[in-house]
Amino acid sequence: MAKVMIVYASMTGNTEEIADILGEELEKYDIEVEIEECISVEPEALLEYDGALIGGYTYDDGQLPDEFVDFYEDMADVDFSGKICASFGSGDTFYDEFCLTVDLVEKRLKEQGATVPVEGLKVDLDPDEDDVVRAEAYAKTFADALLG
């Protein structure tokens, strides 16, 4: 059975909700899922899994969440070659840099050798019904890449 770690940072609960939606959807494909907040796991721990989804919200006008900075910076020291990974997160379209954290994480994953089979999932504030449908499709694409 394939194993996936979902790591997230969430202040208002929006990104956590997305993580839960993704986790539930991946489990439908017989994938074992573990969900953790970024402050309770190190990036190296992701190497114990077949794949990883990393999510964070974008704070204010394009800033990484304070509690996510260390995790993000430490990702630069991990070789993700052979791992299927992707990014997701929430933001607010009010700001010019909508969901910049998603883009930064995706770029870092690629720099560190991860296979990123699906473009980052970006959600405006809390997920609505359309976002849930998009998240389910995102999870399916990820699962298909993971399971080959």
Side-chain angles (χ1 to χ4, degrees):
M1 176 181 282
K3 295 184 346 179
V4 169
M5 166 75 82
I6 300 176
V7 178
Y8 71 91
S10 188
M11 179 172 32
T12 61
N14 296 340
T15 306
E16 180 179 11
E17 185 176 348
I18 300 164
D20 290 340
I21 292 166
L22 294 172
E24 289 173 16
E25 192 64 21
L26 289 175
E27 287 174 344
K28 292 178 184 177
Y29 299 97
D30 290 326
I31 296 171
E32 183 180 326
V33 177
E34 185 172 342
I35 301 175
E36 294 286 343
E37 288 188 72
C38 65
I39 57 173
S40 60
V41 66
E42 295 292 327
E44 296 82 23
L46 301 178
L47 299 178
E48 299 172 20
Y49 295 81
D50 301 301
L53 296 173
I54 302 172
Y57 62 96
T58 299
Y59 184 72
D60 202 21
D61 201 18
Q63 298 165 332
L64 288 171
D66 288 342
E67 70 274 21
F68 190 71
V69 171
D70 288 343
F71 185 91
Y72 174 77
E73 290 176 353
D74 290 346
M75 285 174 62
D77 298 326
V78 179
D79 181 0
F80 289 106
S81 297
K83 300 297 178 184
I84 305 296
C85 300
S87 63
F88 68 94
S90 62
D92 188 339
T93 54
F94 171 81
Y95 295 104
D96 293 335
E97 297 290 346
F98 175 65
C99 284
L100 182 63
T101 296
V102 174
D103 297 333
L104 293 172
V105 168
E106 184 173 304
K107 182 175 186 249
R108 176 67 44 92
L109 287 167
K110 289 177 180 177
E111 290 169 351
Q112 296 309 116
T115 298
V116 181
V118 60
E119 186 174 312
L121 176 66
K122 299 178 179 182
V123 175
D124 187 21
L125 302 173
D126 59 323
D128 62 20
E129 288 179 30
D130 290 340
D131 295 319
V132 171
V133 170
R134 288 189 314 112
E136 291 170 349
Y138 170 96
K140 181 183 184 329
T141 301
F142 183 84
D144 288 347
L146 184 70
L147 301 173

